[in-house]
Structures are given as structure tokens and as C-alpha cells.
Amino acid sequence: ELQRLASSVNVMVVMISKMPSWLSSSQDSTPLPVDPGWKRFHAVPPLSANDWRQAISALAARVDQIVGGRCRLYFEFWSEPDGGYWISDQASLLSLYEATATALRQAVPGAKVGGFGVNQWDGKIGGGTVPAQFALVDDAAARGVPLDFLSFHLFSPDPADVDRAAQAYRGRLAAAGLVGVELISTEWNA
């Protein structure tokens, strides 16, 4: 199925989200208020960063093997961490992004890596004072973490909101000295 899809598209975005229970630092199966299909153990860091990196590397290598160069691969890290799908703090999400992006880049050097697929373009996480995407840009620039794209969701009837988000992101990327970073809206609804 994945091979057939890869033959029909130019770009495939593979989302990496929802911590598996066997890797999670929590075993709390209480449903998240935002989505009963998500448990608390899905929205926290892994118990072992090394085990996480190995799992991500294996997943990426397998996807790359199946896709076989039929399309460009983008790996999107997380989805709506600012919308309740991440219950830890922003620092742990940034650390997990770094581990994920590094593992992905090593496993599939030609793939694009980015995130966070935020629910609101200026959404914050875990009491953070800086929007999550800005923190990601700043962290990637300061620490040399791979960042090929910023992904966001926008649920607004006003098309000008897309422009506002894009301007804010481009400004932050320019201030951080990151060039060539793509902006991708991976969910949109008016």
C-alpha cells in the first residue's frame, strides 16, 4: 500500500507522534481530555532516549526502503503538542525533537525533518512563555538540530491568519539565521 501511494505522490509526509506504551516514561492509561484515543503515556517523553532513537531509525529506514525513492519523504514530528497532545514540558519536547531529527537524518539523509504540527501557530506548551514553534526555531539554530520545515495546523475562516503565521515564522527563522526552512500547513479547515 505504501509503495502504491509513493508512486502516486510527489511528497509523502510521515507523522511521528503518540509515544508507544512500550517506550513511554509513563504507564498511566488515563485518557487525555482532548482525545479519549490518546492516553497519558502517549503524550510524554520516552523512558530511554536511546531506545527511542533506535525505534525511530528502524522506522525511517523501513519507510525509506518501502518508498524506494518514488517520492520525497518528509518526517513530521508530533501533532498538536500545544493542543493537549503533549503533557510534559516544552524542554522535554525540544529534547525529543532533537533525538528524533538526528535519528531520522542519520537513517535517511535525504529526507526532510520538521515539526511540530502545532494547533495554533503561536501555541505554547506546558507553561512555556515562547510559542512552541519559536522555541523549536531558536533551539535548532542554537544547537545545530536539523530543521527543514515548520508544520502547523490552521483552523480559521480568515485566510489572513495563514499570512500572519507565515510572516511570524519567516521573521523568527530569519532572526535565527535559518534559511531555506519550508512552511507547511499539514491541516487546514475554515
Side-chain angles (χ1 to χ4, degrees):
E1 189 69 25
L2 198 55
Q3 283 178 329
R4 188 172 68 219
L5 177 62
S7 296
S8 302
V9 299
N10 294 320
V11 174
M12 181 180 295
V13 179
V14 177
M15 182 181 22
I16 296 177
S17 188
K18 201 172 189 180
M19 184 63 61
S21 62
W22 57 275
L23 282 172
S24 183
S25 59
S26 171
Q27 293 306 305
D28 185 346
S29 62
T30 305
L32 293 181
V34 68
D35 184 340
W38 275 63
K39 310 303 182 204
R40 290 184 66 82
F41 63 76
H42 290 135
V44 297
L47 184 60
S48 164
N50 189 51
D51 289 348
W52 172 260
R53 281 190 295 273
Q54 288 178 359
I56 292 301
S57 292
L59 169 72
R62 180 67 178 135
V63 169
D64 187 47
Q65 178 187 28
I66 293 169
V67 169
R70 292 177 183 85
C71 65
R72 291 178 290 151
L73 273 176
Y74 284 59
F75 288 95
E76 178 185 34
F77 175 77
W78 228 257
S79 178
E80 302 188 1
D82 62 322
Y85 291 93
W86 185 258
I87 58 172
S88 191
D89 61 8
Q90 191 161 279
S92 63
L93 186 66
L94 291 168
S95 179
L96 187 57
Y97 174 82
E98 179 178 3
T100 304
T102 302
L104 290 167
R105 182 57 47 84
Q106 289 172 351
V108 187
K112 301 281 186 169
V113 179
F116 284 139
V118 292
N119 183 49
Q120 298 294 322
W121 73 267
D122 59 351
K124 298 177 178 85
I125 298 169
T129 58
V130 174
Q133 295 290 66
F134 290 1
L136 177 58
V137 167
D138 296 347
D139 193 61
R143 297 163 35 116
V145 177
L147 180 63
D148 300 310
F149 66 90
L150 291 176
S151 59
F152 61 98
H153 304 163
L154 197 61
F155 306 102
S156 170
D158 185 357
D161 286 342
V162 174
D163 293 333
R164 280 189 280 282
Q167 287 174 1
Y169 289 153
R170 286 188 183 112
R172 193 62 169 228
L173 289 162
L178 296 177
V179 296
V181 176
E182 297 177 57
L183 302 181
I184 302 174
S185 176
T186 52
E187 288 184 28
W188 178 82
N189 189 7

